[in-house]
Amino acid sequence: MKKKAVYTIIIALIIGAIMLHAMTSCPTNRYKEISYPTPNIEPDTINEVRGVVLHHTAETESIDFSLELLTSIERKASAHVVIDYDGTRYILAAPTDVTWHAGRSILHGREECNFFTIGIEFQGNTLERPLTQDQIDSAIEYLLPIIREYDIPLDNIATHQMVRRAFKQAHPDYKVYDKPDITQTEYGRFMHALRKALKK
């Protein structure tokens, strides 16, 4: 084989390797992201990003109503992202923002989860219908780079009920508003899918 042909093959292989690396190191998002900033963040405060709290909006029909509630100054509630049934993500705040999603809460003995966790809201009510596969896949797509960047342990991913229950156990005399949130069954489905995705 002539030297020119060998050089051509080598150059083609190098270019192919570079293109493959670019494709795998810069993946595109499968799900649409829409910026929808909330004013309900803690001013002049940086989120430590050490955990994640999962919620459902409890609204079964209108994503618009859920977004209205989570951006209402009067309601003083928020999250970092809301994920619709089709997987569309509405980004309310950056991971490093402190949002008001967990209220009175404890995760592994540490209080005030708002200051060190990300709040994810799934559109809908998991007491009435399960999460869609698109919601689970979209949440994982959103979370994977954050988990890797901040080295978040999987046992630091909890539901709102879990962190609220821990607070109530630690402070039995303190009145805490109790509301059903994302179910343990759906939490289990999500965590199973997340573990599989992290192994890939």
Side-chain angles (χ1 to χ4, degrees), residues 23 26-34 83-90 132-145 193 197 200:
M23 290 170 62
C26 303
T28 56
N29 284 343
R30 175 182 168 193
Y31 293 98
K32 185 177 181 181
E33 278 193 352
I34 298 172
I83 302 178
D84 204 356
Y85 296 121
D86 66 355
T88 299
R89 295 191 293 269
Y90 294 84
T132 67
Q133 192 60 48
D134 282 325
Q135 285 179 305
I136 291 174
D137 292 345
S138 180
I140 290 172
E141 183 178 86
Y142 169 78
L143 272 181
L144 280 180
K200 291 182 180 179

Side-chain angles (χ1 to χ4, degrees), residues 22-181:
M23 290 170 62
T24 55
S25 62
C26 303
T28 56
N29 284 343
R30 175 182 168 193
Y31 293 98
K32 185 177 181 181
E33 278 193 352
I34 298 172
S35 178
Y36 204 100
T38 179
N40 299 332
I41 61 175
E42 194 72 22
D44 304 316
T45 309
I46 302 296
N47 190 332
E48 293 179 33
V49 195
R50 297 301 307 137
V52 180
V53 178
L54 305 175
H55 311 257
H56 66 209
T57 64
E59 298 299 324
T60 57
E61 299 300 328
S62 171
I63 185 71
D64 293 331
F65 186 62
S66 297
L67 292 169
E68 182 183 329
L69 292 178
L70 292 166
T71 57
S72 166
I73 296 174
E74 291 76 20
R75 294 270 304 187
K76 294 185 178 180
S78 53
H80 291 84
V81 60
V82 185
I83 302 178
D84 204 356
Y85 296 121
D86 66 355
T88 299
R89 295 191 293 269
Y90 294 84
I91 305 300
L92 277 60
T96 50
D97 287 328
V98 171
T99 66
W100 306 329
H101 64 94
R104 300 287 182 179
S105 52
I106 293 179
L107 179 62
H108 301 314
R110 184 174 177 183
E111 300 200 15
E112 298 190 359
C113 293
N114 287 340
F115 292 90
F116 63 95
T117 66
I118 292 172
I120 295 180
E121 290 271 0
F122 292 105
Q123 173 65 12
N125 187 334
T126 55
L127 295 169
E128 299 178 6
R129 62 178 285 184
L131 298 173
T132 67
Q133 192 60 48
D134 282 325
Q135 285 179 305
I136 291 174
D137 292 345
S138 180
I140 290 172
E141 183 178 86
Y142 169 78
L143 272 181
L144 280 180
I146 296 172
I147 288 172
R148 288 167 176 154
E149 180 177 355
Y150 294 95
D151 195 25
I152 298 173
L154 288 186
D155 63 356
N156 278 13
I157 300 175
T159 68
H160 194 186
Q161 278 193 306
M162 291 163 68
V163 297
R164 184 193 294 114
R165 188 180 303 121
F167 181 88
K168 291 178 74 173
Q169 290 172 348
H171 304 279
D173 297 328
Y174 197 100
K175 285 192 176 182
V176 179
Y177 172 64
D178 194 15
K179 76 175 183 68
D181 214 311

Side-chain angles (χ1 to χ4, degrees), residues 180-193:
D181 214 311
I182 182 172
T183 66
Q184 288 300 114
T185 298
E186 295 310 294
Y187 170 69
R189 281 183 64 213
F190 175 79
M191 293 303 295
H192 176 73

